[in-house]
Amino acid sequence: MENKNGTVVTEFILLGLTQSREIQLLVFVLILIFYLIILPGNFLIILTIRSDPGLSAPLYFFLGNLAFLDASYSFIVAPRMLVDFLSEKKVISYRGCITQLFFLHFLGGGEVLLLVVMAFDRYIAICRPLHYSTVMRPRACYVMLLALWLGGFIHSIIQVALILRLPFCGPNQLDNFFCDVPQVIKLACTDTFVVELLMVFNSGLMTLLCFLGLLASYAVILCRVHGSSSEGKSKAMSTCTTHIIVIFLMFGPGIFIYTRPFRAFSADKVVSLFHTVIFPLLNPVIYTLRNQEVKASMKKLFHQH
């Protein structure tokens, strides 16, 4: 009989996205094309913002960091997923699983907080324009950036600490294509009710409160913009609308996955695929396509080369 107080599972078997070989192949090709086209787009955004002195405003500083976070986030799941599509047996070590889970929540938590910071930046720019240069000084921007990285780390380390305390003595099959909290917790050979509540509080409540707070702040901003007659009205509306689109795309799947007890739903894998692979690549592209300054700067960058 195995010791039930300690972790004896040394690896997890990932059941993958689907058992159908044809669908696996189709998804593999789609994700590979998507990855190879859009991932360089993230780095292009970073390069454009770094190389153009005209894009030195806090908005672009945070947009560059968003592209960096999204590019980093997309490396956690997608490359391994593509390799696993070609493997008969999809195995990840216990340490590899915990590492994947840590970085997923570290970067994901950081991105949630970055969207909060970006909303704050827009609020000050539109509702308190006279105070903008004082509040959003370069030093303040760096302090906010440090705070969101620290916030993401604390959020993630809590998740990992709770999971490391759980005993895993079999079974070791994860019904997903990557390691995440809901599936891993269900494999623990002990009662996980309290841990699940703590996880929902840590991930779900944080996601939901940030989401509602962001919607409220953008509602205030849009009301202020709508009531003004300034020439920058359409630009401000466009920027805020873009932010709101990204918020719905990011927080929707997060709320679906983390704000409920960890029971499996048939839609979980599709939502997870969107949340971990597709959205991180799309996010900065949405911003860029709707931002005239960044588009103009990119064209200038291409003409120089």
Side-chain angles (χ1 to χ4, degrees):
M1 187 77 179
E2 297 282 15
N3 174 18
K4 290 219 169 193
N5 294 322
T7 298
V8 293
V9 167
T10 57
E11 63 182 27
F12 292 107
I13 297 164
L14 299 168
L15 297 182
L17 191 64
T18 174
Q19 298 303 307
S20 165
R21 201 74 189 140
E22 290 78 15
I23 296 174
Q24 276 190 30
L25 191 64
L26 178 65
V27 175
F28 172 82
V29 172
L30 288 174
I31 290 174
L32 185 62
I33 293 167
F34 201 69
Y35 202 62
L36 293 176
I37 292 172
I38 300 180
L39 186 61
N42 286 278
F43 293 111
L44 180 61
I45 292 166
I46 297 167
L47 180 66
T48 304
I49 290 169
R50 296 279 295 177
S51 62
D52 190 344
L55 299 178
S56 59
L59 173 66
Y60 302 112
F61 171 73
F62 292 127
L63 179 56
N65 280 283
L66 179 72
F68 175 75
L69 265 173
D70 277 321
S72 305
Y73 191 83
S74 68
F75 277 116
I76 301 167
V77 175
R80 186 185 175 92
M81 184 189 181
L82 290 170
V83 171
D84 282 345
F85 271 131
L86 306 174
S87 312
E88 277 302 318
K89 198 176 183 185
K90 303 161 181 62
V91 175
I92 186 169
S93 69
Y94 176 78
R95 282 184 179 180
C97 183
I98 297 299
T99 304
Q100 188 179 61
L101 193 148
F102 168 78
F103 280 106
L104 203 68
H105 285 270
F106 173 40
L107 296 172
E111 185 160 339
V112 164
L113 295 173
L114 178 56
L115 290 175
V116 171
V117 169
M118 290 175 83
F120 176 72
D121 170 72
R122 288 300 84 205
Y123 174 80
I124 298 295
I126 293 163
C127 300
R128 299 282 185 272
L130 297 176
H131 299 101
Y132 188 76
S133 57
T134 320
V135 176
M136 300 304 291
R137 297 187 313 276
R139 188 178 174 185
C141 292
Y142 281 110
V143 169
M144 287 181 205
L145 191 66
L146 182 65
L148 69 89
W149 279 101
L150 187 62
F153 178 80
I154 292 168
H155 159 70
S156 187
I157 211 74
I158 291 170
Q159 305 276 75
V160 170
L162 288 169
I163 284 181
L164 287 175
R165 290 172 63 86
L166 295 173
F168 293 93
C169 39
N172 67 337
Q173 287 191 333
L174 282 171
D175 188 18
N176 215 328
F177 54 91
F178 71 108
C179 280
D180 199 9
V181 175
Q183 292 81 26
V184 174
I185 279 185
K186 282 301 178 192
L187 295 182
C189 45
T190 185
D191 181 32
T192 58
F193 179 73
V194 175
V195 179
E196 284 186 42
L197 279 183
L198 290 170
M199 292 289 191
V200 168
F201 181 79
N202 184 27
S203 281
L205 196 62
M206 171 189 164
T207 308
L208 188 60
L209 289 177
C210 285
F211 176 68
L212 294 174
L214 285 166
L215 286 187
S217 69
Y218 279 113
V220 170
I221 292 168
L222 287 173
C223 285
R224 177 64 66 92
V225 170
H226 191 66
S228 74
S229 57
S230 64
E231 57 185 49
K233 181 175 176 178
S234 62
K235 185 184 170 184
M237 288 284 280
S238 176
T239 305
C240 290
T241 308
T242 305
H243 286 215
I244 292 165
I245 291 167
V246 170
I247 286 163
F248 271 102
L249 287 174
M250 177 163 183
F251 284 87
I255 290 167
F256 179 80
I257 295 166
Y258 299 115
T259 55
R260 58 183 168 86
F262 297 150
R263 289 193 200 93
F265 284 118
S266 54
D268 281 356
K269 289 184 184 180
V270 177
V271 174
S272 293
L273 178 70
F274 184 80
H275 192 53
T276 57
V277 180
I278 295 171
F279 175 72
L281 299 173
L282 270 180
N283 189 359
V285 175
I286 295 168
Y287 275 99
T288 309
L289 290 177
R290 292 178 61 91
N291 191 299
Q292 298 303 321
E293 284 87 353
V294 178
K295 280 200 288 188
S297 189
M298 276 186 180
K299 284 175 186 171
K300 207 190 304 175
L301 190 72
F302 278 121
H303 288 142
Q304 285 173 359
H305 295 85

